[in-house]
Amino acid sequence: MTEDHSLRRDTAVPAIDLEDAIDSGDLESVRAWFAAQNTVTISEELGRLDHGERAVAFRLLEKDRALAVFEYMDISHQRELLEALRSDRASELLRGLQDDDRARLIGEAPATVASKILADLPADKREATSRLLGYPPESAGRLMTPAQAVLDPDMTREDALDKLRGRRLRNRDIAVLAVTDETRRLLGVVNLSDLVTAADGARVGDLMSKETHSVRATADQEVAARLVQEADLLALPVVDEESRIVGMITVDDAMEALEIEVTEDAYRGGGSEPLGEPYLSATVFTLARKRGVWLVVLILAAVLTINVMSTFEGTLNKIVVLATFVPMIIGTGGNAGSQAASSVVRALAVDEVRPRDLVRVVWREVRVGLMLGAFLAVLTFPFIAVIYEPRIAATISLTIVGICAWACIVGGVLPLVAKKIGVDPAVFSTPVVSTLVDATGLIIYFTIAQVILAPQLAAAG
């Protein structure tokens, strides 16, 4: 993306409501507001408009400013703008994008639209974009910026800087430079700051870092982005199967990929499919469709709870007071399981645990569950014993201990199993765990009740 260091706002220009200004035809106020704002702010505010108003406002931007704003916009908004603008204006915007940003936009577009966009590009840009699109979706190859400049280890500092001069390179694309042999095999990396500050005549090979992180172009982009974050890298080299440099994943692209992954996990953790577009841009039908699929699944899973209640209907009829505590029992189990699932899903995301740690996770979670259950049982027993009777209190307390232990095991195991079979662990988070624990928790509850309250059940006939 084009760097924009203008973060000041001109306080002399009053804040305006873009939507009202556009609807009223006060376009001069819109232009004045644009002139006083930085590109990030403009991009964010345009994202809040509907697609028609957004197109009108975008046309008011100066040509150079428009490209910078366009680069910061969400991909779904970029697609809508391209459809609303004249073909020559849309082509101009696409040509101005960097190869990685252009590939990301085309990769999200329908096949027919993507083909038309590619056909309108100059040959060199079409080839570079097609090369990136040749990598699997959500791979490091799709996320990277193609290697713009590589250095030879025998180059001097002056030779290296001369090679960079005169090229249209973004600052972030040359902050870290790959050092390769004559076949482009990666040998190491050198920071631009080290080149600039090195003594005259210094060799690139002496300045480069030989302990270099890298990923294959086919690696998962989340794995690559996590590596950038955890190793505090400005850029991560991407290599092919023969360790030849093909591109770099810059820190800003890595953070964007992580934001997407966190957003997807947040949606699935709440029992919904990711929207894939900003909330205000999604139609009501899209919102309902994304949530409805999960609600159907959860309703079907809830049938298990109904069947369990039906199975133990006789027990409930004899000791009606047991029904009073059903919401508390299943609520406690669901909450404990959700806590465990959230912890393990997060640990998986940052590679703190792996599927092979299953036994360790189970051992930890069962102890946590027993500890939590014992704590809650000690709190609830006196109150229930006073209000009802000690046997009822004992039943509830023991059930809480058992269901907390079981819920923590389920919440800890399901994400690991999901990861092992190649499913997003977030799928098995709060909603699924809660629903499963509800049904199995009732089995624990009524089984304990039948044992402790056996004399009362027998007396009730």
Side-chain angles (χ1 to χ4, degrees):
M1 293 182 181
T2 303
E3 274 75 18
D4 183 345
H5 302 290
S6 175
L7 298 179
R8 296 180 297 105
R9 293 191 181 191
D10 187 347
T11 54
V13 177
I16 65 170
D17 187 304
L18 280 182
E19 187 175 355
D20 290 343
I22 293 170
D23 290 342
S24 64
D26 187 8
L27 302 185
E28 286 306 316
S29 293
V30 177
R31 286 192 179 94
W33 186 85
F34 281 163
Q37 306 302 320
N38 62 74
T39 54
V40 176
T41 300
I42 295 173
S43 175
E44 291 174 349
E45 292 303 315
L46 289 182
R48 299 179 59 83
L49 303 176
D50 66 39
H51 64 277
E53 294 167 337
R54 187 180 305 118
V56 171
F58 189 81
R59 292 188 183 99
L60 300 177
L61 288 166
E62 298 175 359
K63 184 178 295 186
D64 292 341
R65 198 88 189 281
L67 176 59
V69 170
F70 186 78
E71 288 180 319
Y72 279 111
M73 296 181 74
D74 186 89
I75 287 180
S76 63
H77 295 159
Q78 289 178 336
R79 287 203 310 267
E80 291 174 355
L81 270 178
L82 291 177
E83 293 171 2
L85 297 173
R86 299 192 316 270
S87 59
D88 59 332
R89 185 76 180 94
S91 297
E92 186 179 5
L93 285 172
L94 285 167
R95 288 195 299 271
L97 290 176
Q98 296 294 324
D99 294 334
D100 55 329
D101 295 330
R102 189 187 310 111
R104 208 164 301 142
L105 172 58
I106 295 175
E108 296 285 337
T112 53
V113 176
S115 299
K116 183 179 183 305
I117 292 174
L118 282 171
D120 291 339
L121 291 173
D124 58 334
K125 294 185 181 295
R126 180 167 60 250
E127 181 182 355
T129 305
S130 298
R131 193 181 305 118
L132 291 176
L133 290 172
Y135 294 107
E138 299 189 4
S139 66
R142 284 286 186 97
L143 187 62
M144 72 181 182
T145 299
Q148 301 292 325
V150 297
L151 304 179
D152 187 283
D154 293 325
M155 277 183 171
T156 64
R157 164 189 177 275
E158 291 75 22
D159 291 337
L161 293 176
D162 284 341
K163 184 173 183 178
L164 299 178
R165 290 191 182 99
R167 298 193 179 200
R168 295 186 60 188
L169 300 173
R170 298 173 293 182
N171 292 340
R172 65 188 177 98
D173 292 337
I174 57 173
V176 177
L177 296 156
V179 182
T180 68
D181 62 15
E182 63 277 3
T183 63
R184 289 180 68 89
R185 291 180 185 273
L186 182 67
L187 300 176
V189 296
V190 61
N191 293 334
L192 179 61
S193 59
D194 292 335
L195 274 179
V196 172
T197 58
D200 292 342
R203 291 177 62 257
V204 168
D206 296 329
L207 298 174
M208 75 177 185
S209 171
K210 297 179 178 63
E211 294 184 3
T212 304
H213 296 282
S214 65
V215 293
R216 293 286 176 86
T218 53
D220 186 271
Q221 63 181 222
E222 182 181 6
V223 173
R226 292 284 178 200
L227 180 55
V228 172
Q229 180 190 48
E230 292 170 5
D232 294 327
L233 304 176
L234 289 176
L236 175 66
V238 181
V239 298
D240 62 15
E241 298 298 322
E242 297 178 1
S243 297
R244 293 175 300 195
I245 188 74
V246 291
M248 287 276 193
I249 295 177
T250 54
V251 64
D252 59 324
D253 287 335
M255 295 307 101
E256 185 177 339
L258 289 179
E259 181 185 5
I260 292 172
E261 295 296 336
V262 169
T263 300
E264 290 180 353
D265 289 349
Y267 273 108
R268 291 190 173 121
S272 175
E273 276 299 294
L275 292 178
E277 59 184 315
Y279 173 81
L280 291 177
S281 298
T283 64
V284 172
F285 176 76
T286 298
L287 291 172
R289 178 171 57 85
K290 295 290 186 177
R291 299 176 189 177
V293 173
W294 273 95
L295 289 177
V296 170
V297 172
L298 295 176
I299 284 177
L300 293 175
V303 172
L304 291 173
T305 303
I306 297 173
N307 289 335
V308 171
M309 294 287 287
S310 299
T311 302
F312 292 97
E313 185 177 1
T315 302
L316 282 173
N317 289 335
K318 293 177 182 178
I319 305 180
V320 180
V321 71
L322 291 176
T324 304
F325 296 97
V326 167
M328 184 183 76
I329 293 297
I330 62 176
T332 301
N335 290 336
S338 297
Q339 289 176 336
S342 298
S343 297
V344 174
V345 167
R346 177 59 183 168
L348 281 168
V350 297
D351 203 31
E352 292 177 352
V353 299
R354 297 174 182 176
R356 66 169 179 261
D357 297 317
L358 178 63
V359 174
R360 295 177 63 188
V361 171
V362 170
W363 176 231
R364 290 175 66 86
E365 289 299 333
V366 72
R367 287 180 293 165
V368 171
L370 290 172
M371 189 177 297
L372 290 173
F375 171 69
L376 295 175
V378 169
L379 289 180
T380 57
F381 183 87
F383 296 100
I384 299 175
V386 170
I387 297 174
Y388 295 95
E389 62 169 297
R391 286 187 180 181
I392 296 294
T395 299
I396 303 304
S397 297
L398 287 175
T399 298
I400 289 175
V401 174
I403 200 171
C404 281
W406 170 242
C408 287
I409 293 173
V410 172
V413 167
L414 285 184
L416 292 172
V417 172
K419 183 74 171 181
K420 181 67 176 179
I421 63 177
V423 177
D424 188 344
V427 170
F428 292 99
S429 55
T430 303
V432 174
V433 170
S434 295
T435 304
L436 180 59
V437 171
D438 286 351
T440 53
L442 287 177
I443 296 175
I444 294 173
Y445 178 38
F446 289 120
T447 300
I448 291 175
Q450 287 179 336
V451 173
I452 295 179
L453 302 178
Q456 290 172 260
L457 289 171

